[in-house]
Amino acid sequence: MSLDIMFILINMILSIKFFKADSYLGIIFNLILLFISFNMLDKKISKKILIFSLIMVNLNLYIGHKTEFIKTYEQYEIIGVVKENKIYSDDYQNIILQSKFVNNKKKSISIYATVNSEKTIEPGDSIYITGRGMTPRYLSNFNTLSYKDYLKNKGINNFIKADQIKILSTKKNILLDLKLKIKDYINSSIENNFNESDQYVLKKLILAKSQNYDVETSDLFIDFGISHLLAISGLHIGIIIYFLEIIFINLGLDYKRRCIFIISILSFYAYIIDFPSSVIRAILMYIGYIFAIIFMRRNKLLNSVFISAYFILLFAPRRINDLGFILTYLCVLSIALIYPKIETLLKNYELPQSVLIFIAINIGILPFQIYYFNKISIFALIANIIMIPLVSVVLVSTIIFLFLNLFLPVKINIFIYLIKFLLKSSFAMMELFKNNFLVSLDTFGLSENSMLSIYFVLIIILFKDRLKLNFKQKQIFYLLIIIITIGNLFIAEKTDNYMEYIDIGQGDCCLIKSGNKNILIDTGGDGFRNDNFVSDELVNVLKRKGITKIDWLLISHFDYDHCGNTEVLLNNFKIKNVGISYITDKLGLYEKLLKSDAKVHVLKNNDTIQNKYFKLEIISEDNPGYDDNDRSMVILMSFGNRKALFTGDISKTVEYEILEELPEVDIFNTPHHGSASSTSDEILDKTKPKYAIISVGRNNSYGHPAGEVLDRLKYRKIEILRTDTDGAIRFQLNDDLDYITAQGKGQFNYRELFSKIIESCFYMPIVILTKRIGDKDEILGIYE
C-alpha cells in the first residue's frame, strides 16, 4: 500500500536524520515489513504493524552496529581488495579498500587510505598495508557538505595513512575487469578525439563523472540553469531506453524479451558508473512500469516513486544525505504532485506539456537550488527548451560513436564532427548570451530550517483539499505552521550578530556579521588539494549566508594563507573597503586592489572601525624591518562587555612589544596557527582568555599546533577550539559568549534549543499528512 510505504519511508528518514546510524537488523526487518504491508488486507492489523515498525526501525537504527572501527593515530595492519583509486601524482594516490583482515582478525569494512607509493594500484588488487588511523582532510563549515560527509554517505567511516604497501595479487573478477576495460575504452576514445571542454561534457554524460574538471564549462551550465543535463538522470535513461527500444523492435524481439534485455543493459550500465541514485531510481521506476503493463494494471507514479526510494534507502540508507538522491526525487515528485496543479491552473494558455513539466520541476527544486547553489537562472526555461534536444542528440551520437569505434574507427568521423559541431555551437550561443545579458541572479542565503519550512508550506498547498482533520487536529496543525514560520524568522541568519571562524584549511579567515554589515578578517587561500577547492568553499560559505557585499576586508599580512582568496572575493562580491597594515608588491595583490572598486586603507595604530554592536581597534605598528609575519595587523574587537583579539602570524617578539596595550580578552586567536614561535606565557598571562581559537589545516605538514603551545593553554585551563577538529566556530556577539561549531560542539543556549524544536515541529505535520491525505483510490495498492 502506498500509504504504508510512505509511512515506513518517513520513519526511516527520521531515524537516519536523528540517529545517524544504520543497522543490518533494521534492513532485514524492513524487508519483512515491506512484504507484509503488500499482502496485508486487515486494516487494523496493518496499522498495528506500522506502529510496531516505527518503534523497531528507530530502535534498530539507534542501536545499530558501529561503523567507525579504526581510531585516529593507532597503528593497523590490513589485508583487503581495492575497490576504487584516484591517482594525484606519480607517488600519491587515494584508494578505497574493502578489508578482509584488520590486525589479523577477520573484519570487512570500507577503508579510505592515503598511499605514498610509486606502485600502480588498480581496482581488484589484493594488497597488504600498514599505517595509522587518521582524520581525512576536509573543510567543515555550517550548511556545507564536507568531504568527510561525502565519504560517510558512501559508507566509508574508516581512514588510514599508509606507510607500507605490498601488492599480494592482481587477480580481478570477470565483471570488475570488464568494467575497468569499458571505462578505459570510453575515456581514451573521448580523450583522443575531443578537446578538454568537450571531454568534460561527454564524460559527465556517459560516465557521470569527469577527471578533468572544467570550471568555465561547469559555471556556464550552472549560470543557464542546465547543469542537471550533465548529470545522468531519468532524462538520460529515458533517452537510452527509447534508443534501445528502436533497436530491439527492428530486430524483431517481442515486448518481454525487449524488457529483459533493456533492464539487463541498464543494470550493467549502472554498475559501470557506480550506481548513482538517479540511475537506480529511473531503473526501478521503469521496472515498476513494466510490471504494471505485464499484469495489466494502471501504474501509479507516486507509488513507483516511493517504492524505488524505499528500496534505495533500504540497502544504502546514507543516500538520504546524497545531493543526487535528493535532487532526483525532488524532480520526479514535482512532476507527480505539482505538474497536475500547474496543468489545471494554466489550462487556458495551451502551453506545451514540456513547458508545464519544466515549470513544475523548477517550483519543486527552487528552495533546494537557492539553499545549495545560491543562484537562479533567468534564461533557464529557454535554455532547457533549446538544450534538451541538443544534449539528447549528443548523447545518442556519442553512444553510436563509442559502439562503432570498436569496429569501424575510420567510418565514424561523421559522428565526431556532429558532436563537435553541436557542442561548439552550444558553448558559443551561451557565451554570446552571457557576454550581452544578465543570465543569472545570486540569491539570498537560506537556512536548512527555512528550506524545510518552504517545502512544508508547499505540501500544505498541494494537499489542503484532501486534508481530513477534525477541529482539534486543525488547531494543532495550524499552530505548528505558525511556530515554524515565526521561528524561522526568529532564527534567520541574516538578522544575526555573530563572529565566525571559517574552516579554510591551513589559513585564517573570520567573518563578523552584524545585521547587514559584513567584515572579513583574512581570506585563507592555501588549499590542501587545490586552491580552487578552498576558494570555492569560501564563496559558497559567504553566499549561503546571504552575503553579496563585504563592507570591510581586513588583510592582516600578505602571506598566501591569509590573503590568497582576495582576488576570488573581488570577483564574486562587492567589496567596499580593504584595510592593510603595509604596502608590498608581494603576490601582486596591492596593484589588483588598487585596480578594483574597493577603497584601500593603510591602517595604523589606534585606527578604529565600529558600529553600535562592536568596535575594531588596530593595536599594532608596522615595522618595515620585520618579516611579513611580524608585520601582521593585530586587531582588538569589543562587543558588549566582551573582547576578542586577532593576531595574524606575529611571533613572541611582537607579542612582547604590544603587551602593555593588551587588555584582558575573552577570545584569543592563537598567533601563527599555534606555531611554537608564538603564544608566549606572557601574552596569555596578560590577556587571560577564556577561549583560544586555532585556525589550522587537518594533517598539516607544519606540525601546527605545537605541543608546547597546547600545553600552555591547557595549563591555564583555556578552552581550545580548533578548526581542524571542530570545523567552523561561531560566537554570538552577546555577553553570554554562546558558541557552536560545525562539528556539533557548543554550549547549551535557548536559541539552538528553539531551532531544534522548530526542526522537530516540521516533521510532525508530515506524519499527520501521511496518515490523513489521499482518497481511497490513491492508497488501495501499488497498482489499480
Side-chain angles (χ1 to χ4, degrees):
M1 300 178 186
S2 61
L3 182 61
D4 295 353
I5 296 168
M6 288 173 64
F7 192 69
I8 296 167
L9 179 63
I10 288 167
N11 293 343
M12 292 189 69
I13 293 172
L14 286 173
S15 302
I16 295 163
K17 181 171 181 64
F18 288 120
F19 299 131
K20 306 291 185 186
D22 55 285
S23 164
Y24 292 131
L25 181 60
I27 290 173
I28 294 168
F29 178 82
N30 271 278
L31 277 172
I32 298 169
L33 183 66
L34 184 66
F35 176 78
I36 294 172
S37 296
F38 286 153
N39 293 277
M40 188 60 62
L41 298 176
D42 189 323
K43 300 288 183 181
K44 292 181 181 178
I45 298 176
S46 182
K47 190 176 290 186
K48 289 178 181 178
I49 289 175
L50 289 173
I51 293 171
F52 181 62
S53 77
L54 175 64
I55 298 169
M56 287 301 294
V57 171
N58 282 280
L59 182 63
N60 282 312
L61 291 173
Y62 179 67
I63 63 174
H65 69 289
K66 297 292 183 182
T67 54
E68 293 189 23
F69 179 79
I70 290 177
K71 296 180 180 178
T72 306
Y73 303 125
E74 291 192 9
Q75 194 73 19
Y76 292 91
E77 293 183 17
I78 298 162
I79 295 175
V81 179
V82 177
K83 294 168 64 179
E84 296 178 30
N85 78 321
K86 189 169 186 180
I87 299 172
Y88 288 96
S89 64
D90 292 338
D91 58 354
Y92 170 57
Q93 51 197 310
N94 288 337
I95 63 173
I96 296 174
L97 184 72
Q98 189 67 36
S99 71
K100 292 182 178 178
F101 294 91
V102 178
N103 288 348
N104 298 317
K105 293 181 181 178
K106 269 194 172 184
K107 190 73 180 177
S108 179
I109 54 175
S110 291
I111 300 171
Y112 180 89
T114 298
V115 179
N116 293 318
S117 173
E118 296 179 359
K119 298 176 182 177
T120 302
I121 305 168
E122 295 184 353
D125 290 350
S126 292
I127 64 172
Y128 164 84
I129 62 172
T130 63
R132 293 188 309 161
M134 69 167 189
T135 300
R137 290 179 171 182
Y138 64 96
L139 300 180
S140 177
N141 289 295
F142 295 102
N143 289 347
T144 62
L145 183 69
S146 73
Y147 188 59
K148 184 179 180 182
D149 293 331
Y150 166 77
L151 291 172
K152 280 193 170 185
N153 293 345
K154 294 183 70 172
I156 302 168
N157 293 312
N158 300 284
F159 309 95
I160 286 283
K161 183 174 178 59
D163 50 37
Q164 182 184 351
I165 180 166
K166 182 179 180 182
I167 299 176
L168 301 177
S169 73
T170 57
K171 184 179 178 181
K172 301 177 179 65
N173 62 57
I174 297 173
L175 270 179
L176 179 60
D177 194 41
L178 183 59
K179 172 183 177 176
L180 295 175
K181 285 181 178 177
I182 291 174
K183 273 191 167 182
D184 288 341
Y185 165 71
I186 293 172
N187 276 311
S188 61
S189 297
I190 292 173
E191 288 168 3
N192 293 335
N193 291 282
F194 299 96
N195 62 36
E196 288 188 6
S197 296
D198 293 350
Q199 287 176 31
Y200 172 73
V201 172
L202 296 178
K203 286 182 182 181
K204 291 280 285 184
L205 283 175
I206 302 297
L207 296 174
K209 60 181 75 172
S210 178
Q211 291 180 341
N212 54 318
Y213 182 67
D214 191 321
V215 177
E216 290 184 6
T217 304
S218 176
D219 288 346
L220 203 57
F221 276 76
I222 291 171
D223 286 338
F224 281 90
I226 53 175
S227 57
H228 62 280
L229 296 180
L230 296 182
I232 296 178
S233 62
L235 172 66
H236 298 70
I237 298 302
I239 293 168
I240 293 171
I241 290 171
Y242 181 73
F243 179 63
L244 292 174
E245 279 277 5
I246 293 173
I247 293 173
F248 292 141
I249 287 172
N250 286 311
L251 291 175
L253 295 180
D254 61 40
Y255 183 73
K256 288 185 179 179
R257 285 191 177 88
R258 292 204 307 270
C259 292
I260 291 170
F261 277 114
I262 290 174
I263 292 171
S264 301
I265 291 170
L266 291 178
S267 300
F268 184 65
Y269 178 54
Y271 169 68
I272 290 172
I273 60 176
D274 301 319
F275 299 103
S277 297
S278 56
V279 173
I280 298 173
R281 190 266 304 162
I283 293 172
L284 288 173
M285 291 184 67
Y286 176 64
I287 292 171
Y289 169 76
I290 290 169
F291 282 172
I293 292 176
I294 291 174
F295 294 107
M296 292 180 289
R297 304 284 185 177
R298 184 158 66 89
N299 185 43
K300 293 279 189 179
L301 180 57
L302 269 180
N303 287 329
S304 297
V305 170
F306 283 109
I307 291 170
S308 62
Y310 181 86
F311 275 108
I312 291 174
L313 293 179
L314 195 62
F315 295 102
R318 291 186 184 277
R319 291 212 181 198
I320 192 66
N321 297 314
D322 177 41
L323 299 188
F325 176 89
I326 297 169
L327 191 56
T328 189
Y329 277 99
L330 278 179
C331 289
V332 75
L333 282 171
S334 299
I335 295 171
L337 301 175
I338 301 176
Y339 167 71
K341 302 283 185 183
I342 297 295
E343 188 180 34
T344 303
L345 189 64
L346 302 177
K347 62 183 178 181
N348 296 328
Y349 294 92
E350 298 183 358
L351 295 172
Q353 185 185 47
S354 58
V355 173
L356 297 178
I357 289 174
F358 174 81
I359 293 171
I361 289 174
N362 274 268
I363 291 172
I365 68 172
L366 186 61
F368 178 88
Q369 186 180 19
I370 293 173
Y371 176 71
Y372 279 103
F373 303 114
N374 307 103
K375 190 170 286 191
I376 296 177
S377 173
I378 298 171
F379 292 98
L381 176 58
I382 299 171
N384 275 270
I385 291 172
I386 295 172
M387 289 299 294
I388 286 175
L390 287 175
V391 169
S392 302
V393 175
V394 169
L395 177 61
V396 173
S397 299
T398 306
I399 293 171
I400 296 172
F401 152 68
L402 291 170
F403 180 75
L404 292 181
N405 194 40
L406 284 169
F407 311 104
L408 304 167
V410 181
K411 304 290 184 181
I412 57 162
N413 285 342
I414 184 173
F415 290 102
I416 295 176
Y417 293 143
L418 176 62
I419 295 165
K420 285 183 176 179
F421 172 75
L422 290 175
L423 290 177
K424 186 177 181 180
S425 302
S426 302
F427 294 150
M429 182 172 55
M430 287 190 285
E431 288 285 359
L432 180 65
F433 265 84
K434 189 173 180 179
N435 292 335
N436 291 281
F437 301 99
L438 180 66
V439 297
S440 63
L441 295 172
D442 290 332
T443 60
F444 54 87
L446 194 66
S447 69
E448 184 182 38
N449 286 325
S450 298
M451 179 180 65
L452 292 174
S453 295
I454 292 170
Y455 279 117
F456 170 68
V457 172
L458 187 59
I459 289 170
I460 292 173
I461 293 171
L462 290 172
F463 293 115
K464 62 184 173 116
D465 297 334
R466 299 195 207 169
L467 196 58
K468 300 172 183 178
L469 301 174
N470 60 37
F471 180 73
K472 186 176 181 181
Q473 289 169 333
K474 282 183 179 178
Q475 284 182 315
I476 297 171
F477 192 75
Y478 291 120
L479 178 62
L480 290 172
I481 296 173
I482 294 169
I483 291 173
I484 291 170
T485 305
I486 295 176
N488 273 293
L489 290 174
F490 177 74
I491 65 171
E493 283 191 340
K494 56 179 175 254
T495 60
D496 268 351
N497 292 301
Y498 61 82
M499 57 189 292
E500 182 172 312
Y501 296 87
I502 296 170
D503 182 6
I504 205 69
Q506 184 63 22
D508 262 278
C509 185
C510 182
L511 169 70
I512 300 169
K513 186 168 174 56
S514 177
N516 64 348
K517 298 293 182 184
N518 305 300
I519 295 175
L520 201 65
I521 301 177
D522 285 336
T523 72
D526 189 11
F528 52 74
R529 276 179 287 189
N530 58 64
D531 295 334
N532 285 337
F533 178 81
V534 175
S535 60
D536 287 348
E537 177 78 2
L538 179 58
V539 170
N540 288 337
V541 167
L542 296 179
K543 284 189 175 181
R544 286 195 178 182
K545 297 177 186 302
I547 292 174
T548 56
K549 67 175 177 66
I550 297 172
D551 296 277
W552 276 92
L553 171 60
L554 301 175
I555 298 173
S556 66
H557 64 297
F558 288 88
D559 274 359
Y560 194 74
D561 60 334
H562 288 255
C563 68
N565 285 327
T566 301
E567 191 171 358
V568 77
L569 292 175
L570 290 169
N571 293 334
N572 283 274
F573 302 93
K574 180 182 179 181
I575 299 180
K576 292 186 174 181
N577 300 280
V578 177
I580 58 177
S581 57
Y582 60 96
I583 297 173
T584 179
D585 353 344
K586 190 175 180 180
L587 305 176
L589 187 57
Y590 181 67
E591 288 185 10
K592 292 176 182 176
L593 290 172
L594 292 178
K595 291 177 182 178
S596 72
D597 295 331
K599 293 181 181 178
V600 181
H601 308 262
V602 180
L603 301 178
K604 302 294 184 183
N605 188 26
N606 295 325
D607 285 345
T608 60
I609 300 167
Q610 66 184 76
N611 69 5
K612 63 180 180 179
Y613 295 106
F614 64 83
K615 180 174 81 168
L616 301 176
E617 181 182 358
I618 312 302
I619 59 170
S620 58
E621 283 285 0
D622 175 40
N623 188 331
Y626 286 161
D627 63 15
D628 282 301
N629 287 340
D630 278 342
R631 296 179 80 179
S632 293
M633 184 189 303
V634 180
I635 304 169
L636 179 66
M637 177 182 178
S638 304
F639 54 98
N641 296 318
R642 302 292 185 176
K643 288 181 170 57
L645 186 67
F646 298 88
T647 56
D649 279 351
I650 62 172
S651 68
K652 293 176 183 176
T653 302
V654 177
E655 289 179 5
Y656 298 148
E657 288 182 1
I658 63 173
L659 207 58
E660 291 185 5
E661 295 187 54
L662 295 178
E664 292 186 5
V665 301
D666 302 281
I667 303 169
F668 179 76
N669 187 21
T670 308
H672 205 178
H673 323 289
S675 166
S677 62
S678 309
T679 316
S680 61
D681 288 312
E682 288 80 0
I683 196 169
L684 292 177
D685 290 337
K686 181 69 187 292
T687 57
K688 295 181 171 60
K690 183 176 181 181
Y691 300 100
I693 310 299
I694 303 177
S695 186
V696 64
R698 289 166 183 79
N699 309 315
N700 67 85
S701 58
Y702 306 101
H704 295 159
E708 58 198 84
V709 171
L710 295 176
D711 289 341
R712 288 181 206 136
L713 297 171
K714 290 174 184 176
Y715 176 75
R716 291 167 175 81
K717 297 181 179 179
I718 300 168
E719 185 171 349
I720 301 169
L721 296 171
R722 301 168 45 166
T723 57
D724 62 335
T725 55
D726 299 312
I729 305 154
R730 180 189 298 169
F731 283 90
Q732 294 299 133
L733 297 184
N734 57 32
D735 288 338
D736 295 329
L737 283 181
D738 295 331
Y739 80 87
I740 190 169
T741 73
Q743 290 294 304
K745 185 177 178 182
Q747 297 170 323
F748 175 84
N749 63 77
Y750 292 102
R751 178 189 175 79
E752 290 301 321
L753 175 63
F754 192 60
S755 175
K756 292 298 180 187
I757 292 171
I758 291 169
E759 186 174 312
S760 300
C761 285
F762 169 79
Y763 294 101
M764 292 170 65
I766 297 295
V767 176
I768 296 172
L769 282 168
T770 304
K771 295 185 70 62
R772 295 282 176 176
I773 286 172
D775 52 41
K776 291 183 179 179
D777 181 57
E778 283 292 326
I779 63 172
L780 281 176
I782 304 174
Y783 306 115
E784 182 179 40

